[in-house]
Amino acid sequence: MHAAKFCKDDRESCDFDRAIDLTGNGKFHYELKLVCCLSSLSVGFQNGLSSYIFGPARCELGITSGELGLLNVAFLVGGIGSCFVWGILADNRGRKKILIFTHLLNAVINVLCSIVPYKNVLTLCRFFSGFLIGAPGTLTYTYIVEFHQQRKQFRNVCLCGIFFVLSWLLLPILAYAILPLEFSYNAKNVVALSPWRLFLLVLTAPDVLVGFWLMRLPESPKFWLAKGQQKKALAILQRMYAANKGVPRDGFPVKHIVGEGGANVKGNEIMVTGKTLRVLKELLQQIQKLFQKPLVIKTGLTTGLMFSNMFGLFGLGIWLPELFIKFNQYQSLHPNSTVTVKELSTLNLERNQTCEHSIDQNVVINTVATGSCALIFNIICCLLASKVSSKRITLVLSFVGGLSAGSIYWLQTATQNLIVACIFQSTTLTANLTATSVVVEAFPASVGGIAICLAVCVGRFGAVFSSAAFAYFMDNHCEIPIFMVAFFGVLASLLCMMLPNQEKRVECDRGELEQRHFGFFTRKQSYEIATISHKIVDSNCIYRQ
């Protein structure tokens, strides 16, 4: 049995969850949420901008179809390559430092990308952008939840998710406003400026804002606790308490925090000569922990979950806009007729190959419609967060997403495609965000950064494999990738079902306490145990003072 953790009468000694609850909810947490939401918005911009800049960039720079495919792959490969680096650095150097560094450096990379008139530079920039944005793409969620109680973590992940989805709404609107502009500037093939480059510069603004704003905020207190730095963790909690309550810092009642597992966690610094070798040693040590008991089962299930989810999201999800265009083109050529997706995929419809920077209004409307549905789903998940676990929400969303993916094979009209696309994008995109919460909640803080980065890394492999499958099969055997997405959607729901439930303890009053232990102690003994030793031998109950 486990000893439940709670505060003493004088509240000088608490477990982390209770201590952070005592800091309250006010100015500090509002600022934290805002900066993390902007970080999530920036990540969404970087993931979705390729659909809008590659068309005009292709015309301006003379990019071939093969080179255009390389641009798409470069971003994904950069994200895969960065996962373990940011995870280990975050677990050993801190979440805040990594987030500041990657946001600001990504802004520099995108500014360079927007002014240098060479296609090779564009490919390198997309690779490094994928490499850098992989950090806030995972660590932002880790950072925000470690400032909240466990019961509030999922709600805050959903809040960040709303801004990630919001970016997919803003992208087509910004593109519709900026890309049709007519201007061009090229200074001796050194500096260039055009509408798509201006579009890229505008999307860089959140990176700059978040990077400098994070300098105002502290490191995660849970990170310092996991490193055995009690004083630093307490100092941050005192700062939170003072900002939220409007009182002096020394008024915070907690003087000692019990670490994970009921004891102080000691630092695990590795004394190795040379920075590179030390980082590699730390990386191997952290990954090794994930594949040892008791974490190995959770590691397998969470990585499988992310692979399955991202296989559909970045395969079928990216192909859906192309399907919008094909349905609209077919119905404009053949009014009042229907066509199956399989028949449509084999048709060679005429595409506009001019270099006009116009945006199809129907595509914008369809994109905004799917994004709006996803946003609504996300808001609903936020409202359900306090009543339903992230595991259950992810399970249901994954299953519905898998079924909707399979149904695409039988679509016959553009309207049917839009309805199913809204369902698929909403469930799969929201499931991607809630799955992130599942991973964060499943692992202790000492390996939380590397765990989420490993899961996302495996998920990005799923995205690459899915993109390859759609590129290879869609023209002749579209049913293969479509039903693969359906299979992985159902598989994701099964993996969620197999994940062990998080241990949850509820508060008990004195009467409940006495009733629970009546078979072992008398009522008087039970009361004395609670008031003198301040420990209850019960895995499901926290004694409420």
Side-chain angles (χ1 to χ4, degrees), residues 208-256:
V208 178
L209 179 60
V210 171
F212 285 107
W213 198 342
L214 278 169
M215 294 179 184
R216 281 177 40 87
L217 296 174
E219 181 54 81
S220 157
K222 199 168 186 179
F223 164 77
W224 287 125
L225 185 62
K227 299 291 286 183
Q229 300 286 340
Q230 283 273 342
K231 291 183 179 179
K232 290 184 178 180
L234 274 172
I236 294 169
L237 293 176
Q238 290 170 348
R239 174 179 170 180
M240 295 166 60
Y241 178 81
N244 288 335
K245 304 286 188 180
V247 297
R249 296 188 181 191
D250 55 11
F252 187 56
V254 179
K255 308 303 179 186
H256 176 79

Side-chain angles (χ1 to χ4, degrees), residues 100-174:
I100 292 174
F101 173 78
T102 52
H103 270 297
L104 292 180
L105 188 55
N106 186 61
V108 173
I109 292 294
N110 281 317
V111 169
L112 179 66
C113 181
S114 66
I115 63 174
V116 177
Y118 300 106
K119 58 186 177 184
N120 291 336
V121 174
L122 182 60
T123 303
L124 284 175
C125 285
R126 289 307 291 163
F127 170 80
F128 285 115
S129 182
F131 186 88
L132 292 167
I133 210 65
T138 54
L139 297 179
T140 297
Y141 300 104
T142 305
Y143 184 67
I144 191 171
V145 301
E146 290 183 353
F147 285 93
H148 292 86
Q149 291 176 279
Q150 183 178 351
R151 63 185 175 85
K152 295 180 180 179
Q153 291 176 355
F154 179 40
R155 185 185 307 169
N156 284 280
V157 169
C158 286
L159 181 62
C160 289
I162 288 175
F163 278 76
F164 182 88
V165 176
L166 182 62
S167 70
W168 290 31
L169 286 177
L170 294 177
L171 276 171
I173 295 172
L174 290 172

Side-chain angles (χ1 to χ4, degrees), residues 207-325:
D207 274 315
V208 178
L209 179 60
V210 171
F212 285 107
W213 198 342
L214 278 169
M215 294 179 184
R216 281 177 40 87
L217 296 174
E219 181 54 81
S220 157
K222 199 168 186 179
F223 164 77
W224 287 125
L225 185 62
K227 299 291 286 183
Q229 300 286 340
Q230 283 273 342
K231 291 183 179 179
K232 290 184 178 180
L234 274 172
I236 294 169
L237 293 176
Q238 290 170 348
R239 174 179 170 180
M240 295 166 60
Y241 178 81
N244 288 335
K245 304 286 188 180
V247 297
R249 296 188 181 191
D250 55 11
F252 187 56
V254 179
K255 308 303 179 186
H256 176 79
I257 306 173
V258 180
E260 293 179 343
N264 292 336
V265 181
K266 301 296 182 184
N268 57 347
E269 295 294 329
I270 303 173
M271 302 305 295
V272 181
T273 303
K275 248 183 194 180
T276 303
L277 184 58
R278 183 169 66 250
V279 170
L280 290 175
K281 283 279 188 180
E282 291 171 346
L283 173 62
L284 292 175
Q285 185 188 63
Q286 295 292 82
I287 293 176
Q288 187 179 17
K289 290 179 182 178
L290 296 179
F291 290 94
Q292 294 175 342
K293 292 182 178 181
L295 299 179
V296 61
I297 295 177
K298 290 182 178 180
T299 301
L301 293 174
T302 52
T303 52
L305 171 62
M306 294 302 292
F307 180 95
S308 300
N309 175 270
M310 296 179 79
F311 186 94
L313 182 60
F314 289 95
L316 181 58
I318 291 177
W319 180 71
L320 283 173
E322 179 72 12
L323 194 57
F324 286 142
I325 295 173

Side-chain angles (χ1 to χ4, degrees), residues 390-459:
S390 56
K391 172 186 165 181
R392 291 183 179 179
I393 292 178
T394 307
L395 189 156
V396 173
L397 292 176
S398 298
F399 186 76
V400 174
L403 292 183
S404 63
S407 69
I408 288 176
Y409 181 73
W410 288 280
L411 300 182
Q412 295 186 355
T413 67
T415 302
Q416 292 174 357
N417 179 56
L418 177 59
I419 294 172
V420 173
C422 287
I423 296 173
F424 175 79
Q425 288 282 67
S426 299
T427 54
T428 309
L429 181 57
T430 307
N432 180 262
L433 300 168
T434 57
T436 302
S437 179
V438 171
V439 179
V440 170
E441 293 174 0
F443 294 90
S446 57
V447 292
I450 192 66
I452 186 64
C453 287
L454 173 63
V456 172
C457 177
V458 175

Side-chain angles (χ1 to χ4, degrees), residues 466-486:
S466 182
S467 298
F470 273 87
Y472 187 79
F473 289 113
M474 275 311 296
D475 287 342
N476 298 309
H477 300 284
C478 68
E479 67 276 7
I480 293 178
I482 287 175
F483 289 130
M484 286 176 69
V485 172

